[in-house]
Amino acid sequence: MGKLDDLFAMKWVLPEHAQALSHHYYKESLSSQPILEEDALAEMNFLIQQSIHEDYALAVTWFVPEVDARGHMETEWGWVKGNPSQGQIKLVRDEDFWWIDLKRLVSVERV
């Protein structure tokens, strides 16, 4: 076998093709938002209300949509501020804060 045979054995990939493959595999790594039962929603609402009134911290996990209703989960802890009846809560820590849409909540736990 000569150098010419080795040359044809190489795989050529255009930059656009590599980018499209990368985007495809990234989309495949994302997950859909989980559907929660009514009991879980009621329990999360109860913990949020208690956290506001009794001022204790919560660990909150929420869904962040990215591509075609698929996304990833984020988890942070902090104190809940604001009025949940407006459709979102503000999770506050000393150095940062997050506005979280109640429709995107996945789990709420007492810290």
Side-chain angles (χ1 to χ4, degrees):
M1 298 244 164
K3 284 187 174 182
L4 191 57
D5 292 331
D6 290 338
L7 180 66
F8 291 117
M10 293 175 52
K11 294 182 181 178
W12 295 90
V13 178
L14 294 172
E16 296 85 8
H17 187 220
Q19 184 181 12
L21 280 174
S22 175
H23 184 69
H24 171 73
Y25 289 125
Y26 176 71
K27 277 179 54 175
E28 291 296 315
S29 72
L30 299 176
S31 62
S32 299
Q33 181 175 357
I35 299 172
L36 301 176
E37 299 289 327
E38 289 295 323
D39 293 343
L41 293 171
E43 184 179 339
M44 287 190 302
N45 185 35
F46 178 74
L47 285 172
I48 290 170
Q49 293 293 337
Q50 267 196 327
S51 173
I52 292 170
H53 294 296
E54 297 177 14
D55 197 35
Y56 61 79
L58 293 177
V60 179
T61 302
W62 68 96
F63 178 76
V64 179
E66 291 186 36
V67 180
D68 300 333
R70 297 176 64 97
H72 68 278
M73 308 293 177
E74 283 194 25
T75 302
E76 294 293 339
W77 67 272
W79 290 267
V80 177
K81 304 294 181 192
N83 188 357
S85 65
Q86 296 174 346
Q88 60 183 0
I89 57 173
K90 184 177 184 180
L91 190 65
V92 179
R93 231 177 19 212
D94 291 337
E95 66 275 354
D96 217 351
F97 67 92
W98 300 266
W99 284 101
I100 304 169
D101 188 1
L102 292 177
K103 294 176 186 173
R104 303 285 183 205
L105 284 180
V106 175
S107 72
V108 176
E109 298 173 0
R110 190 172 182 168
V111 178

